[in-house]
Amino acid sequence: MTRPSPAPDERAPVVVSTAGSFARSVLDERHPALIERVRQATPYPPEQQLALDVLLEEITEGVIERLDDREPGAGQWREEPYYGQRWPDVPFLWAESFFYRKLLAALRYFTPGPWQGVDPFAPFKNAELASSKVDDELSALDRLPQLPVEEQDRTLLHSSLWGNRADLGFQLSAGAKGLGERVPGLVVDDSAALWEILATARPGTVCLVADNAGPELLPDLVLADHLLTTRRAASVVLHLKPYPYYVSDATTADVLSCLDRLTAASGYATDIGKRLRQAVTSGRLILRTHPFSCAPLPYAHMPADLREDFASAVLTIMKGDLNYRRLVGDRHWPATIPFAEVTDHFPGPVAALRTLKSDVATGLGPRTVAELDASGETWRTSGTHALVQVRA
């Protein structure tokens, strides 16, 4: 894949090598644990088991090896500059992306045969989606129509922001204060600017770039339904991953599973599910994938066709931590650098809904940063803090 040269004034990219850093913990702990979890979840045959052993040894003790030339799509990764280096010594975003690509290669996801297209993360996604907690959250949706539209706006936006965090998913109650006002971990809240963009523009296309599947995709779909039913959007383009990526990232199959989960529920959840299914068939909810969604590159380097897609939208909503890192650049920015400055490359209005789960942060006030740093919390990576940021 083509890799543009960085501008000379860009901050250094986040790399894995720093001992005790979040990036290093992903390489040393999360990735080996994931290999074992995948191995236990699906009865892969000896060939795949051996390939998993080889991958584990490579990431823990070896250097970065190329994909086998016989691997489908290997040519897209042929010109990468990091082969032969130690995994901890390369940019974090690239290392994570290539690890997942090599994991799928080890499991023969792309190779014609009986294992082609078998999502190794499906057992985890399906278990979460089938949980009784999701039943409770879907039942809580029955209270949604009782709320004023402004309260629905606030609650559904923040439900999408926090995903499946305990007790925040769809905890709706008539007459209660907005969810955002009850969440102390919200360090930036540009929600008013987001709704202002949608209120002042003629209803058009809203692009929603999805993050995780399962219980975290459900509130994204409910938000999409809300934008359509309140006529803030004439259509919603839901950008998904073209293949399994980063454990729980949403694919088309995951959207269909969520629609089935909604329509199989009772009460208002069923109505939402039916409306969304109709929106897909009528072209008002468009499911879209692009190879760049699985590329180890920031959105500043997106191809022209994807840029045109976002440029035509009234607003693009970027969900989740990985999309945030790709939107602003996975670099050692000072947390106070303006969000508008690091997203000025984006071709249209953009909003980020992100729970902080990695080191990169932008757009925070100096006082907020000082208080967070003084708290002693790992606020950048713990998932206990979040932000809603908008660049009009």
Side-chain angles (χ1 to χ4, degrees):
M1 57 192 71
T2 303
R3 181 176 301 281
S5 301
D9 60 342
E10 282 187 337
R11 296 283 177 142
V14 175
V15 295
V16 184
S17 57
T18 305
S21 67
F22 172 76
R24 189 59 182 266
S25 71
V26 169
L27 181 68
D28 291 348
E29 301 169 17
R30 183 179 297 181
H31 287 175
L34 177 60
I35 290 175
E36 182 59 26
R37 192 179 178 200
V38 165
R39 193 195 304 270
Q40 295 297 325
T42 303
Y44 286 106
E47 184 176 5
Q48 280 96 319
Q49 296 286 349
L50 177 60
L52 290 176
D53 292 338
V54 171
L55 178 58
L56 178 61
E57 182 177 2
E58 178 183 325
I59 66 172
T60 56
E61 301 178 16
V63 297
I64 300 170
E65 304 285 354
R66 298 174 183 271
L67 288 168
D68 190 299
D69 287 339
R70 295 168 296 179
E71 167 68 14
Q76 299 175 2
W77 294 84
R78 188 166 292 130
E79 303 304 321
E80 297 296 321
Y82 305 116
Y83 300 123
Q85 298 185 43
R86 296 170 60 250
W87 283 84
D89 296 336
V90 304
F92 182 36
L93 179 62
W94 189 91
E96 277 197 291
S97 295
F98 194 53
F99 165 78
Y100 282 102
R101 183 59 182 83
K102 294 204 81 171
L103 179 63
L104 292 179
L107 299 174
R108 304 183 69 81
Y109 178 86
F110 297 102
T111 305
W115 295 96
Q116 185 177 23
V118 176
D119 185 348
F121 312 130
F124 320 142
K125 299 174 183 176
N126 294 338
E128 291 181 345
L129 195 59
S131 70
S132 59
K133 178 184 173 183
V134 172
D135 291 331
D136 296 338
E137 291 174 339
L138 295 182
S139 295
L141 280 171
D142 290 344
R143 295 193 291 274
L144 184 63
Q146 303 170 23
L147 302 179
V149 172
E150 295 80 6
E151 185 65 26
Q152 294 181 32
D153 292 346
R154 186 182 302 114
T155 302
L156 294 183
L157 184 69
H158 286 279
S159 293
S160 179
L161 166 66
W162 288 101
N164 67 351
R165 182 182 174 189
D167 300 323
L168 288 178
F170 295 118
Q171 302 310 307
L172 310 173
S173 56
K177 286 187 175 182
L179 182 60
E181 297 175 23
R182 303 201 306 269
V183 181
L186 193 58
V187 295
V188 179
D189 188 4
D190 293 340
S191 300
L194 183 152
W195 294 115
E196 180 66 19
I197 290 172
L198 296 176
T200 56
R202 177 177 296 180
T205 297
V206 172
C207 287
L208 177 56
V209 184
D211 184 34
N212 289 335
E216 296 190 42
L217 182 58
L218 284 170
D220 297 343
L221 291 169
V222 174
L223 178 61
D225 172 71
H226 184 66
L227 295 177
L228 292 170
T229 55
T230 59
R231 303 188 184 279
R232 267 61 168 266
S235 63
V236 173
V237 177
L238 184 62
H239 283 260
L240 304 158
K241 298 298 189 296
Y243 54 80
Y245 191 60
Y246 275 59
V247 187
S248 57
D249 281 11
T251 65
T252 301
D254 298 317
V255 171
L256 298 179
S257 294
C258 284
L259 294 182
D260 287 345
R261 188 72 162 94
L262 285 164
T263 53
S266 59
Y268 194 60
T270 305
D271 297 338
I272 294 174
K274 290 179 179 178
R275 285 199 300 266
L276 287 169
R277 291 176 70 94
Q278 177 60 33
V280 174
T281 61
S282 66
R284 298 182 69 214
L285 177 60
I286 302 164
L287 309 185
R288 187 162 294 169
T289 63
H290 194 288
F292 187 79
S293 297
C294 295
L297 297 171
Y299 281 104
H301 301 322
M302 75 181 87
D305 59 338
L306 187 58
R307 178 173 292 275
E308 290 172 4
D309 198 15
F310 292 142
S312 66
V314 171
L315 177 68
T316 296
I317 301 174
M318 291 279 183
K319 275 296 310 292
D321 196 77
L322 175 60
N323 282 323
Y324 188 87
R325 290 163 58 195
R326 298 185 70 196
L327 176 64
V328 305
D330 200 32
R331 297 180 175 275
H332 290 288
W333 302 114
T336 54
I337 191 171
F339 178 72
E341 180 177 333
V342 292
T343 59
D344 63 358
H345 62 84
F346 203 79
V350 62
L353 306 185
R354 180 224 183 178
T355 303
L356 277 66
K357 297 179 181 177
S358 64
D359 291 309
V360 176
T362 69
L364 276 64
R367 181 175 178 179
T368 298
V369 174
E371 291 175 351
L372 290 170
D373 287 342
S375 70
E377 299 180 66
T378 54
W379 60 271
R380 292 174 180 260
T381 61
S382 63
T384 57
H385 294 75
L387 48 80
V388 178
Q389 291 177 316
V390 175
R391 196 221 68 198

